[in-house]
Amino acid sequence: MVCSFHTVLYNLNTFIKGYDVYQDIGTPELFEELVAVRETQNTMDKYAVSVTKAGKVVGHLKKGKTGRFAKIIFYFLRADKQNSCTAVVTGKAVNRGDGEGMSVPCTLKFEGQKKHISILMSWARTTSNENEQTLPDVTVKTVQTSV
């Protein structure tokens, strides 16, 4: 049997923190696509989301001023195994003067079920966090899957 469901693509601008900590492991290159994954064994932050290159951690997503940014992405990735988040590097590492060391600018690309993307979009609209800004483009595509 074949059924279709909506997959929604959503983009969000932010930064990967920890460049100075992880630069010996791997340096993100401009336009490179990195994978964001839940880091369930992180003892410092149970909602940590790491950014990986070839399976190795090269940084983390910021918690944000309210502490909810990475947590919402953590829950998004946990909600459905088909949900994904890719970080596309958009610039060189910079020191933003926030006391968190060097950060790499990126665009997060989310792909998942419409209901899960809607939660991310709702959060992005209501947040006043200056570190995370939304991009206006949202695309809906239909994906065929067999059940």
Side-chain angles (χ1 to χ4, degrees):
M1 176 179 175
V2 175
C3 66
S4 62
F5 64 93
H6 287 289
T7 298
V8 177
L9 304 176
Y10 180 60
N11 296 331
L12 188 70
N13 289 330
T14 191
F15 291 85
I16 301 166
K17 70 177 191 168
Y19 172 82
D20 45 330
V21 176
Y22 297 103
Q23 65 183 344
D24 292 338
I25 296 171
T27 303
E29 302 293 329
L30 189 61
F31 305 120
E32 182 174 19
E33 292 191 6
L34 307 170
V35 180
V37 296
R38 294 182 306 125
E39 199 173 86
T40 58
Q41 303 302 315
N42 187 318
T43 57
M44 302 295 284
D45 181 2
K46 66 182 181 179
Y47 301 112
V49 177
S50 61
V51 179
T52 62
K53 178 177 182 172
K56 296 186 180 192
V57 176
V58 294
H60 287 86
L61 296 182
K62 299 172 71 76
K63 289 182 183 182
K65 287 184 179 181
T66 63
R68 298 183 333 183
F69 183 68
K71 186 176 184 178
I72 289 171
I73 296 169
F74 180 95
Y75 281 125
F76 170 78
L77 293 171
R78 188 179 85 170
D80 189 315
K81 65 181 179 180
Q82 293 182 358
N83 287 351
S84 66
C85 178
T86 304
V88 180
V89 177
T90 58
K92 294 183 178 185
V94 295
N95 186 334
R96 300 183 62 232
D98 58 6
E100 295 195 24
M102 300 291 282
S103 297
V104 177
C106 70
T107 296
L108 297 179
K109 291 183 161 193
F110 297 96
E111 186 168 351
Q113 291 185 30
K114 187 174 183 177
K115 64 182 178 181
H116 299 139
I117 296 290
S118 293
I119 294 168
L120 286 171
M121 291 172 60
S122 175
W123 168 81
R125 277 193 296 271
T126 60
T127 186
S128 61
N129 192 333
E130 65 189 35
N131 293 326
E132 290 80 43
Q133 301 171 10
T134 60
L135 292 175
D137 57 324
V138 176
T139 306
V140 178
K141 70 176 183 177
T142 300
V143 178
Q144 297 290 324
T145 59
S146 57
V147 178

